[in-house]
Amino acid sequence: MTNFHARIADAAARFGARPAVEMAGQGSVASTSYQELIALADGCAGWLMHTAGVVRGDRVAILAPNHTHWVAVYLGVLKLGAVAVPLDTAYTAAQITTILDDCDARVVVTTDRHVDLLAARVETPRTGSTGPSGRVDARGPRIALLTDVLQGVALATSTVPVDDTDAAVILYTSGTTADPKGVVLTHGNLEAERAGALSVIRITETDAVLGVLPLFHALAQMTNLLLPLTAGARVVFLESVSSSTLLEALATRGISVFACVPQFFYLIHERVVGETSKQGAAARILFRMLLALNVRLRDHLGLNPGRVLFGRVHRALGPQMRWLITGGSRFDPQIARDLYGLGVTLLNGYGLTETSGAATVVRPGDRFTTSVGPPLPGVEIKIQKTGSRSPEKTGSRSLEKTGSRSLQKTGSRSPETRSSNSPDAGEILIRGGIVMREYFRQPDATRDAMAGGWLRTGDLGFLDTAGRLHITGRLKEIIVLSSGKNLYPEEIEAHYRRSIFIKEICVLGVTRPGAPSSERLHAIVVPDPDVLRAKKIVNVRELIRFEMETLAVQLPAHKRVLSYDIRLEPLPRTTTGKLKRAEIAKAQASAIETPATGPTSPDEDAWLASAGRPDLLQAIAVRTGRPAVKPDANLELDLGLDSMERVELLTFVEERRGAQIAVDRRATIFSVRQLVEAVEDAAAGTGRTAGQEPSHDAWQTLLAEPADTELVAVLARPSRVRAIVIGLLLRVTMLFVRLIVRLGVEGRERLPARGPYIVCPNHQSHLDGFVLAAIVPLGVLRQLFFVGASEYFETPLARRVARLMNIVPVDPDAHLLTAMRVAASGLRLGKVLVVFPEGERSIDGQIKPFRKGAAMLSAHLHVPVVPVGIDGLHALWPRGRGFNWRVLLRPWRRPLVRIAIGAPLHLTEPDAGAATATLQQHVVDLLASS
């Protein structure tokens, strides 16, 4: 067996002067040729042998970031026939100690940055520890600075010969102090992976590979080190990894191959979709049409105009880019299809540390697939049914005969659409030269992982008719419901991540009290702070509930998340981007219910030292009914304030300090600390002292101020002609509506002929406002106005429609106060306001709790409220789904739509909550009696 170092040395002999590794920094690139790299490796080998006494079989740990010097030490270790043990640079001192004890390392090569983590081990005795050479070590491993190792004198001797079963590298899959597992990969494993991968993905000396994955991972060692350096390619590392340095390297370093975890490609997709969404509905429709067109052209004709249609995306990836490679965790299938439609060639692969990196990979030139491709040559995969002793076998030889050519021909769609609950799904078992030798010094764990020469992966999946592997989940992460259905959390998480407001989500199975054998779905949801800030949304809880409900109806009932918690901190992940589910579940089980209270942190104590802040926090605590509040308590998530209560608290604080926070600043306030700092900034120079109590009702003050004149200008200039035209258009529209539904209207005569008053219907669909406007008398129609969510009126055409319909676009999620002032201004002009008190469309047609806005407007402006019950429109256009066109195919079964208008109410209850409950009950009664 050839020592793997010799393969790279052979490449150095052939490509000596060509650059092997580049270190890209800010405005500079340090290049190392193949000859120079091998010279550095030989010097490291010399130092390790003559200074540290390293011999064949010794373990040498490497604790350093990606760098040319890391590569040199790694190759130097291999040359000696020793074993490289790369360590995760994010490990704690305790984790490093455990791993070094486990692998019995002779030397640890590190940098100045990490040496402090290792210093304590110099004094740690190692009595009776015997190395493979028979020497007894009295102390822990020698700590060697990388800069010293590089000063070694090159060895004149040749590379140490090895057997194919000799260990080359030990990669630890766990850094826990309890049970670290060292995966032993042999020189034979590395060669099998190299040969298999290069036979599928052709890499030559003309390629440049960008390496951002840390080199202590198997995938990174293969894609960013061993494969390119045996092929004569150029590897580019970054001195610091960020989105800006990464994009700069893609654009300027001639990168043609890039391997990364799915999260990076999700970021590209998010930016493309985000930019498209800003251009309006027409642009979004065109974008989706072009994506679908390019998918068909690539699949059926082998053409890829996406490079031209979406040139901006390809320019960002670099003009030389050929292949993007991903692995490490499940890839969202919808995002994969979108990237394929953009013209990107993304090769999705699957493998484990135990399989030396990749075991399967999608072939270049294949049609779109949601699979992770067929096995590499020399690799066999079979599916072991859960609880079965006779697994289904599918050998690599038969798979390789089908090849990518047959995939182009068959293109069977059925394997792609098979459910994760497919009867063919089971545990994935792998056999071949890429499978590890053992877990280091853990024979029991090795025996459990290996079954008759097959590696039990713990992953679940199935093989389609073309021999491609589909991953459905992890065996240990399956959630078993009381019905017996098996659910895979990654599949459900991918669905809920379709919301632009959800950045991360982890789906867990939680048991019901008293029923430990059953599980239901619970989620930990992390909102996207950048999207929230961009859209100036502060009522996060209401927004996430809306998004979760909307997405839930698109899933089968047993796959819906039934409860969730919102957290603002990122979820813990591995360095390859996988969720640490066990850690998340443990934190969830011990979560504190009231994080707004409890001891303050040192940072909060320092902040509270400023004069006036403790008194103001105490006033906020009294106002919110709590014994105390912490500075970093979230107004909504920790204090439980709804949107109205939030505005009331902001106004209370303003009145107390005699200052007014700017509207734009209000939309950036999420915590008590931010609220106090905002009012302090606003109060600067006013001369008002802290501690003064507000003198009157907050909403009386807020609604007394006029709204933006530009927003209500259309209401102040009524047009009889426009009202007639709109009335005619609405009635023509109603002719179409009456063809597909049976419409019944009751109580139209109860509408007062003149305003001001408020019309309050329940909200079932997008059609509610149009149908309501179409059935009111023309005189009332002239006076109607709406305060609509601005997100629906961003395009020029939509804004014209808003003006015609007397819709004032305001985003109540970001600017509730502005929306209330606009409503009050319109009512003062004698208009008729239509407001949906639920604040959103019902998810199931049932009435949701009313919000207090309508009751507050009625009480403070002394205007009546007309309750309206709407029933039947939900069936035509339910929330979260498209228009129900099936009703057009069954004219003899037209659904019944009922609209019941009640008598005007004068809400006299002093409490807005009680008045709101009265209004909601009247709407419920109207629906029950109609």
Side-chain angles (χ1 to χ4, degrees):
M1 174 69 195
T2 301
N3 187 315
F4 205 89
H5 168 274
R7 289 208 171 274
I8 298 178
D10 177 66
R14 290 182 290 130
F15 308 107
R18 293 182 62 86
V21 181
E22 290 181 347
M23 288 301 306
Q26 291 185 344
S28 64
V29 176
S31 180
T32 302
S33 71
Y34 272 87
Q35 288 176 336
E36 293 168 336
L37 179 63
I38 286 297
L40 285 173
D42 288 348
C44 291
W47 190 96
L48 291 169
M49 173 181 280
H50 298 301
T51 305
V54 173
V55 298
R56 176 177 174 173
D58 281 346
R59 271 78 61 195
V60 177
I62 307 173
L63 180 63
N66 289 8
H67 198 280
T68 308
H69 298 158
W70 193 106
V71 179
V73 172
Y74 182 89
L75 295 179
V77 173
L78 294 188
K79 180 172 184 176
L80 296 176
V83 184
V85 186
L87 298 181
D88 188 338
T89 53
Y91 280 163
T92 64
Q95 290 172 319
I96 293 172
T97 297
T98 301
I99 290 175
L100 292 179
D101 284 343
D102 185 73
C103 73
D104 196 19
R106 168 70 52 189
V107 182
V108 184
V109 181
T110 190
T111 64
D112 290 329
R113 179 180 175 184
H114 300 92
V115 73
D116 290 341
L117 289 173
L118 299 163
R121 291 194 53 83
V122 175
E123 304 303 326
T124 304
R126 293 173 63 192
T127 58
S129 176
T130 304
S133 61
R135 301 186 309 272
V136 177
D137 302 326
R139 296 184 179 276
R142 175 170 183 162
I143 300 174
L145 286 176
L146 200 152
T147 50
D148 294 336
V149 176
L150 290 167
Q151 304 304 314
V153 178
L155 287 175
T157 59
S158 59
T159 303
V160 174
V162 294
D163 295 329
D164 60 358
T165 58
D166 283 348
V169 60
I170 299 178
L171 299 176
Y172 278 84
T173 61
S174 170
T176 64
T177 57
D179 184 29
K181 283 186 179 180
V183 176
V184 178
L185 299 180
T186 67
H187 288 269
N189 292 148
L190 301 185
E191 172 58 23
E193 178 75 7
R194 182 201 69 83
L198 287 180
S199 68
V200 172
I201 303 175
R202 180 174 168 77
I203 298 177
T204 71
E205 67 273 14
T206 62
D207 283 307
V209 178
L210 178 60
V212 296
L213 293 175
L215 287 171
F216 47 78
H217 280 290
L219 178 62
Q221 285 191 31
M222 279 299 161
T223 58
N224 300 337
L225 179 59
L226 301 179
L227 294 183
L229 291 183
T230 56
R234 173 168 50 95
V235 180
V236 179
F237 294 125
L238 304 178
E239 287 187 358
S240 63
V241 180
S242 65
S243 58
S244 59
T245 58
L246 193 153
L247 291 173
E248 180 183 358
L250 288 172
T252 62
R253 301 311 308 156
I255 306 299
S256 57
V257 180
F258 177 43
C260 200
V261 293
Q263 277 70 24
F264 170 76
F265 302 108
Y266 292 174
L267 177 62
I268 293 176
H269 178 267
E270 180 183 319
R271 289 187 176 182
V272 172
V273 173
E275 290 181 5
T276 304
S277 64
K278 296 176 183 178
Q279 300 173 21
R284 289 194 295 269
I285 293 172
L286 178 61
F287 174 71
R288 285 292 163 190
M289 289 175 61
L290 290 175
L291 281 182
L293 173 63
N294 200 44
V295 168
R296 290 184 174 275
L297 290 174
R298 293 189 72 177
D299 276 350
H300 300 293
L301 299 178
L303 302 177
N304 186 11
R307 288 184 169 274
V308 177
L309 296 174
F310 307 104
R312 187 174 179 182
V313 175
H314 290 273
R315 286 192 295 273
L317 292 173
Q320 309 300 322
M321 184 62 68
R322 290 197 297 137
W323 294 321
L324 300 173
I325 303 171
T326 190
S329 60
R330 182 179 183 273
F331 203 96
D332 188 303
Q334 184 55 54
I335 294 179
R337 180 175 287 275
D338 285 352
L339 292 173
Y340 185 79
L342 288 169
V344 172
T345 299
L346 181 68
L347 306 181
N348 195 6
Y350 164 77
L352 308 169
T353 303
E354 289 86 343
T355 61
S356 311
T360 74
V361 69
V362 172
R363 303 310 196 243
D366 279 359
R367 300 175 62 175
F368 174 74
T369 174
T370 58
S371 75
V372 291
L376 294 176
V379 176
E380 295 178 88
I381 288 181
K382 66 181 179 182
I383 303 301
Q384 172 76 61
K385 298 292 186 60
T386 304
S388 170
R389 293 190 177 184
S390 55
E392 297 179 357
K393 298 181 180 180
T394 307
S396 62
R397 181 175 300 176
S398 61
L399 292 180
E400 285 306 309
K401 285 182 178 179
T402 62
S404 60
R405 181 176 300 176
S406 66
L407 295 182
Q408 293 281 356
K409 290 180 178 178
T410 60
S412 172
R413 296 183 64 186
S414 57
E416 298 299 327
T417 57
R418 217 181 303 187
S419 167
S420 61
N421 288 316
S422 167
D424 296 332
E427 185 179 6
I428 301 165
L429 275 62
I430 301 176
R431 182 168 67 182
I434 64 172
V435 174
M436 68 172 186
R437 186 182 78 184
E438 62 182 343
Y439 289 120
F440 187 65
R441 293 178 177 171
Q442 293 199 35
D444 292 341
T446 303
R447 193 178 308 112
D448 291 341
M450 305 295 290
W454 293 87
L455 173 70
R456 308 186 71 96
T457 66
D459 290 318
L460 296 168
F462 62 88
L463 290 161
D464 64 26
T465 55
R468 297 169 298 197
L469 180 65
H470 295 252
I471 308 298
T472 58
R474 288 283 294 167
L475 186 62
K476 65 181 181 180
E477 293 172 358
I478 285 181
I479 299 172
V480 183
L481 302 181
S482 56
S483 63
K485 290 184 179 294
N486 293 342
L487 299 182
Y488 305 95
E490 285 188 336
E491 176 185 343
I492 298 170
E493 289 159 359
H495 177 77
Y496 282 100
R497 276 200 311 269
R498 291 167 59 186
S499 168
I500 63 171
F501 300 105
I502 296 177
K503 183 175 184 179
E504 295 183 283
I505 180 170
C506 178
V507 174
L508 305 170
V510 297
T511 57
R512 298 184 181 91
S517 62
S518 65
E519 287 187 294
R520 60 184 175 86
L521 297 186
H522 180 84
I524 310 298
V525 180
V526 179
D528 192 319
D530 295 331
V531 176
L532 296 178
R533 280 192 292 269
K535 292 184 175 291
K536 299 181 179 179
I537 293 173
V538 291
N539 54 330
V540 182
R541 189 184 300 275
E542 295 175 9
L543 173 72
I544 295 300
R545 178 184 54 77
F546 182 88
E547 294 292 304
M548 295 291 286
E549 282 184 348
T550 301
L551 289 163
V553 298
Q554 301 167 12
L555 288 171
H558 66 280
K559 292 186 177 182
R560 295 174 184 173
V561 168
L562 300 180
S563 60
Y564 61 89
D565 290 321
I566 300 173
R567 59 179 283 177
L568 302 179
E569 303 81 17
L571 297 176
R573 292 179 178 272
T574 66
T575 49
T576 54
K578 292 181 181 178
L579 290 170
K580 295 183 177 179
R581 296 183 186 276
E583 183 178 327
I584 295 170
K586 183 178 179 180
Q588 171 64 19
S590 60
I592 300 174
E593 294 295 330
T594 56
T597 60
T600 55
S601 66
D603 174 65
E604 289 176 315
D605 291 336
W607 183 83
L608 283 167
S610 181
R613 286 177 176 174
D615 290 341
L616 192 52
L617 257 67
Q618 181 57 36
I620 292 173
V622 172
R623 177 76 179 187
T624 57
R626 293 173 176 269
V629 295
K630 296 170 63 177
D632 290 332
N634 186 281
L635 299 180
E636 183 187 16
L637 303 181
D638 295 335
L639 299 186
L641 304 183
D642 63 24
S643 53
M644 288 289 181
E645 292 167 338
R646 182 180 180 281
V647 171
E648 290 171 357
L649 178 63
L650 265 63
T651 306
F652 168 81
V653 173
E654 287 176 331
E655 286 286 312
R656 187 176 179 86
R657 292 302 304 266
Q660 189 172 38
I661 302 171
V663 173
D664 287 343
R665 183 72 179 273
R666 281 173 169 260
T668 65
I669 296 173
F670 297 92
S671 67
V672 173
R673 183 198 296 253
Q674 291 170 333
L675 170 58
V676 173
E677 290 176 351
V679 79
E680 286 176 345
D681 292 343
T686 62
R688 182 96 180 250
T689 59
Q692 290 183 254
E693 293 295 333
S695 58
H696 45 266
D697 179 80
W699 281 105
Q700 193 69 38
T701 301
L702 294 172
L703 296 179
E705 296 187 21
D708 187 331
T709 55
E710 188 175 328
L711 285 174
V712 297
V714 65
L715 303 180
R717 297 192 299 272
S719 170
R720 183 186 298 271
V721 174
R722 179 174 59 189
I724 293 173
V725 171
I726 292 299
L728 290 174
L729 290 175
L730 287 172
R731 278 153 178 77
V732 170
T733 303
M734 285 306 296
L735 291 177
F736 170 73
V737 172
R738 287 179 180 276
L739 290 175
I740 59 176
V741 303
R742 293 174 292 142
L743 180 63
V745 180
E746 303 171 15
R748 190 166 9 208
E749 70 283 355
R750 294 171 179 165
L751 287 170
R754 300 191 61 80
Y757 59 88
I758 305 172
V759 177
C760 289
N762 60 305
H763 206 358
Q764 288 201 334
S765 80
H766 282 301
L767 301 172
D768 296 341
F770 293 100
V771 173
L772 185 63
I775 61 100
V776 302
L778 185 60
V780 174
L781 177 62
R782 291 178 54 200
Q783 303 173 69
L784 285 186
F785 78 101
F786 303 78
V787 179
S790 56
E791 63 179 298
Y792 298 117
F793 304 100
E794 294 177 344
T795 65
L797 177 60
R799 286 194 290 269
R800 292 193 189 95
V801 172
R803 284 195 295 271
L804 288 173
M805 294 290 295
N806 277 357
I807 300 173
V808 183
V810 179
D811 189 351
D813 289 328
H815 301 295
L816 174 64
L817 179 55
T818 301
M820 291 288 285
R821 284 174 173 165
V822 167
S825 297
L827 290 169
R828 291 194 184 98
L829 292 171
K831 302 296 181 182
V832 178
L833 170 65
V834 178
V835 66
F836 296 97
E838 291 164 284
E840 61 188 58
R841 286 162 285 137
S842 172
I843 194 68
D844 54 8
Q846 301 300 310
I847 292 181
K848 301 183 77 66
F850 281 16
R851 300 181 186 180
K852 296 182 290 187
M856 288 180 171
L857 288 168
S858 174
H860 288 92
L861 299 175
H862 308 291
V863 297
V865 176
V866 177
V868 178
I870 298 177
D871 187 34
L873 286 177
H874 177 266
L876 287 182
W877 199 340
R879 187 178 119 202
R881 287 156 284 182
F883 185 83
N884 184 10
W885 294 103
R886 287 179 296 179
V887 298
L888 299 177
L889 304 177
R890 297 179 296 181
W892 60 90
R893 295 181 60 184
R894 293 181 299 161
L896 175 63
V897 174
R898 298 176 299 168
I899 299 178
I901 302 172
L905 301 175
H906 295 274
L907 301 176
T908 57
E909 291 92 334
D911 177 59
T916 300
T918 299
L919 172 60
Q920 180 165 342
Q921 188 58 50
H922 274 79
V923 175
V924 171
D925 293 342
L926 284 169
L927 290 172
S929 61
S930 60

